[in-house]
Amino acid sequence: MEPTGAKQTITLDKAVAATHVRITVTSTHRGDGDGNLAAKKISIFAYDENPYATKATMKEYSPAILAKNAKANSEQWPAAWDNDGKAAWAFDDEGHWWHSRYEQWDQKADHEVGTEKGHGRPTTENPIWIQTGFDQEWYVSSIEYTGRDSKDGIIHNYQVLVADLDDPEAAPADTDFEVVKEGTLEFVTTAQTINLSRPVAATHIRITVTDAYDSTDGGKGDGHVAAKNISIFGYDEYPAADKAAL
C-alpha cells in the first residue's frame, strides 16, 4: 500500500465465502520500514449470497454434453414403465427421467450399488448419487432441479460435490470429489434452485442424495430418488465482481 492518508482499496480476485477475515502486516511505511502499526478505519464490503448466481449473467451448460457424461450409482436400466430410466434422462427435456433402481437387479451395471429392491432407496448409509462431466474446466454457480410430476422420488437431503481434474475427460474417483454445498429441497414439482456460495472450478459435478420423498405416504422421506430434469449454470471464466452491488 502507499504512504498516504487517503482511502486505499484491496480488491480480492473473487468473492470468497468466509466467517472471519484477518489482515496480516509484515512492514509499515516509515523511513526504515520498522514503524508501529495503525489503522484509522477498515471497512469490509461483501455479499449476503453468491452475487454471480443470476440467470441474466450465467450460461446454461450444454444438456447434450451433460447427458453424454451422465452416470449414477443406481439407475433403472433397462427402463421400466417406459420413462423410469438411466442417469442421462435427467439432463434432457423429454418425457422421461432418471430413477434409482427398483427391479431387474440381475441387469445392473458394475458401478451400481445394491442387489435387491431396498438398495434403490437412498439413506445416510446407502447414498445414491448422479454425476456428469463438462469435458473441460468450468465454473459452476447454480443448479436447477425438477422432480417428477407425481412427486415420487423428489430429492430431500442432498450434497453437491465437484471434482477438478487435470484431464477433464478422465473418470473421477470418489476421492476426487469435495462437498461444496449441502441442504434440503422441498416436496414440490416445480423447479428448485441450488445456488453455490460462489462459482467453483470443476470438470465434474455430483449430487449425492441421502433421503428422498415418497408420494405414496404423504412425503415421508423414504422413497426411491428421481430427477425429471437437472440444469447446470455457470461461467466459462470466473466472473468479475460487480462493485456497485457490494
Side-chain angles (χ1 to χ4, degrees):
M1 306 191 80
E2 299 298 322
T4 174
K7 292 181 181 179
Q8 300 185 65
T9 300
I10 301 171
T11 301
L12 304 187
D13 293 333
K14 57 187 178 182
V16 177
T19 57
H20 298 75
V21 64
R22 173 184 289 183
I23 301 173
T24 299
V25 182
T26 57
S27 65
T28 62
H29 281 290
R30 183 178 166 179
D32 55 8
D34 191 28
N36 293 312
L37 173 65
K40 183 178 181 180
K41 183 179 180 182
I42 297 175
S43 299
I44 299 176
F45 300 87
Y47 306 92
D48 292 325
E49 298 178 346
N50 181 356
Y52 313 114
T54 59
K55 287 190 176 180
T57 58
M58 291 187 301
K59 166 186 175 182
E60 180 179 359
Y61 203 79
S62 166
I65 294 177
L66 298 180
K68 173 178 71 73
N69 294 325
K71 180 180 179 181
N73 70 340
S74 182
E75 56 184 355
Q76 185 53 51
W77 195 253
W81 299 97
D82 295 330
N83 44 25
D84 292 348
K86 57 187 177 180
W89 286 4
F91 298 100
D92 61 30
D93 291 319
E94 304 299 326
H96 52 214
W97 40 81
W98 165 58
H99 200 295
S100 59
R101 185 174 293 280
Y102 55 84
E103 62 180 42
Q104 298 167 306
W105 288 95
D106 61 322
Q107 299 186 60
K108 76 181 185 71
D110 292 340
H111 63 267
E112 287 189 69
V113 296
T115 56
E116 57 188 33
K117 184 175 181 178
H119 287 154
R121 296 176 181 267
T123 65
T124 303
E125 296 74 25
N126 181 55
I128 302 296
W129 53 257
I130 182 171
Q131 73 180 50
T132 188
F134 306 115
D135 288 344
Q136 63 173 328
E137 185 180 67
W138 205 63
Y139 288 92
V140 180
S141 189
S142 185
I143 302 161
E144 192 172 85
Y145 164 82
T146 305
R148 295 175 58 185
D149 294 339
S150 67
K151 289 190 174 182
D152 189 37
I154 291 175
I155 293 173
H156 184 205
N157 294 312
Y158 70 87
Q159 289 183 326
V160 177
L161 304 90
V162 298
D164 193 19
L165 305 183
D166 292 335
D167 179 0
E169 297 185 5
D174 290 342
T175 53
D176 291 322
F177 286 95
E178 62 175 336
V179 177
V180 293
K181 177 80 174 184
E182 56 186 355
T184 301
L185 295 179
E186 297 180 15
F187 188 43
V188 297
T189 59
T190 52
Q192 301 186 67
T193 301
I194 300 170
N195 289 328
L196 305 188
S197 61
R198 59 181 175 85
V200 177
T203 55
H204 297 78
I205 187 168
R206 174 182 288 185
I207 300 173
T208 296
V209 184
T210 57
D211 193 13
Y213 294 104
D214 188 343
S215 64
T216 62
D217 58 9
K220 184 179 178 181
D222 62 356
H224 289 79
V225 61
K228 183 178 180 181
N229 184 260
I230 297 174
S231 300
I232 301 176
F233 300 87
Y235 302 88
D236 294 324
E237 298 180 349
Y238 201 96
D242 179 6
K243 293 182 180 179
L246 285 168

